Amino acid sequence: VLAQLQNAPCLRIPLKDGFALPENFAELAEGANIAMLARPNAPTGNSFPKKDVERLCASFKGIVLIDEAYVDFAEDDCVDFVKRFPNAIISRTFSKSRSLAGLRFGYALANERIIEGMMKVKDSYNVNYLTQRLALASLKAPAYLAATVAKVKASREKLAEELRKLGFKVEPSQTNFLFAAPPSGDGKAFFLALRERKILVRYFPGPRTGTYVRITVGTPEQMDAFVAAAKSALKA
Amino acid sequence: VLAQLQNAPCLRIPLKDGFALPENFAELAEGANIAMLARPNAPTGNSFPKKDVERLCASFKGIVLIDEAYVDFAEDDCVDFVKRFPNAIISRTFSKSRSLAGLRFGYALANERIIEGMMKVKDSYNVNYLTQRLALASLKAPAYLAATVAKVKASREKLAEELRKLGFKVEPSQTNFLFAAPPSGDGKAFFLALRERKILVRYFPGPRTGTYVRITVGTPEQMDAFVAAAKSALKA
């Protein structure tokens, strides 16, 4: 959206089968100033092998922005890239694992030269006082974060198992959601059937994504309600 | 700052003697997309006759942005311009009269067409949840605002009187600060003498502004401390 506002051309690079990063990403993106990817990815939920992102950073001429919004639910991160690649930026948010979406607080990690450039175009007072204080309070409560993440991961694995039993194709997830395709392969029909049952999931139209829905992992009670609705929807 | 970031040329239009708006403002700004002014003005503290701003709105081809940051301390406002001039934008802030500078919350008033244009380039979630709730709470407490403003205005007038007795040239103020020139006409020396006495005011270098300092109106106790320090500084 921000690129469009500046009339900056945007090029979409499709993932390969299995939602994998194309080996020739750097080549496909040649000439661009920034290559962006989310790791773990959204809405598919999978992560990319670290060496694939490494290869991109090493071979791409511009900035590589790695959005780690869901990293706290993942098995590893790319934070070491900041010291290893002068063109890597890691972005993170307090909106997911820290349950602070209302705060609109995020941050970037990159080498000094990149951060200096970002500071030059940063608006004054871009993070207000309360947000600063609350973000700091969150950083000082690592045990709460760890407990939340552990609960979400446990619920995620339980849900994945239940969905697979029901015949869903469930993508491996390193996030707080599951990307799951109903047995019919009709994501939209399943989304609509769930909506009738007052359960909202996300549906992404498209030849590949359209066979899935994205299910955010909630509390155990919410997941029980979801599974009951999913069973009812499959029967209907 | 934001205009510079976009490489947009900026033209400064000097005020006339007595910090008045030039009659030919529209002519001087011809070709610009936006003409900006603060009413009441900062750091001088005076307001401009409404008819002068009216004339500007009527004759200028582009947008006229009237920053009313200090309007709650003023005798009148330009809010009626929003319905009368298709090119007028009023901007306001919760950082001054509402004592919520840490919130970084402001808003604009303009006709529907202008607001629609602003919405097109607005970032997503640009005002976080807590800020929205606190700004609403402030709007629902008009008595607190009125009491604060009354106290500031009373302190401002008392301070102006004391400064005039001490030989200062005090500009008429419709804000929460006074723009006052010490008898010496040397704003910088007075600023430095106050700083030695642990009192911080603002000094703005320049042929006209440099003869003044800007004194923010604080609590009565703070103003007593300021006057004592000012007397001591004048003697030194």
Side-chain angles (χ1 to χ4, degrees), chain B residues 7 36 63 96 102 104 148 198 202 230:
Chain B
N7 285 322
M36 292 172 62
I63 295 284
K96 311 294 180 188
R104 312 314 308 159
T148 309
K198 313 263 185 214
R202 276 290 291 275

Side-chain angles (χ1 to χ4, degrees), chain A residues 159 163 176-180 201 213-217 223 226:
Chain A
L159 178 63
L163 286 171
N176 65 338
F177 54 79
L178 289 176
F179 205 48
V201 297
V213 297
R214 191 196 65 184
I215 307 148
T216 299
V217 176
M223 291 301 95
F226 166 78

Side-chain angles (χ1 to χ4, degrees), chain A residues 77-142:
Chain A
D77 63 53
C78 293
V79 79
D80 54 303
F81 287 14
V82 167
K83 295 215 164 173
R84 290 171 51 210
F85 298 104
N87 59 336
I89 304 180
I90 310 274
S91 63
R92 293 187 173 175
T93 176
F94 277 34
S95 292
K96 312 293 180 188
S97 55
R98 291 179 188 270
S99 316
L100 291 170
L103 213 53
R104 312 313 310 158
F105 182 78
Y107 64 99
L109 301 163
N111 77 47
E112 230 170 287
R113 228 182 106 245
I114 292 179
I115 297 292
E116 273 170 20
M118 291 170 86
M119 292 301 281
K120 279 185 195 162
V121 295
K122 185 185 85 62
D123 204 356
S124 316
Y125 307 113
N126 58 317
V127 177
N128 80 23
Y129 178 72
L130 289 167
T131 303
Q132 290 180 33
R133 292 299 297 261
L134 289 165
L136 279 172
S138 175
L139 284 177
K140 285 176 187 165

Side-chain angles (χ1 to χ4, degrees), chain B residues 65 89 107-110 112-123:
Chain B
L65 174 60
I89 304 180
Y107 63 97
L109 302 163
E112 229 171 289
R113 228 183 106 244
I114 293 179
I115 297 292
E116 273 169 18
M118 292 171 85
M119 292 302 280
K120 278 185 197 163
V121 296
K122 184 185 86 60
D123 203 356

Side-chain angles (χ1 to χ4, degrees), chain A residues 1-14 25 28-36:
Chain A
V1 171
L2 296 178
Q4 278 181 333
L5 289 178
Q6 304 283 348
N7 284 322
C10 288
L11 182 70
R12 282 168 200 269
I13 295 177
F25 190 144
L28 293 169
E30 210 186 304
N33 292 315
I34 310 184
M36 292 173 61

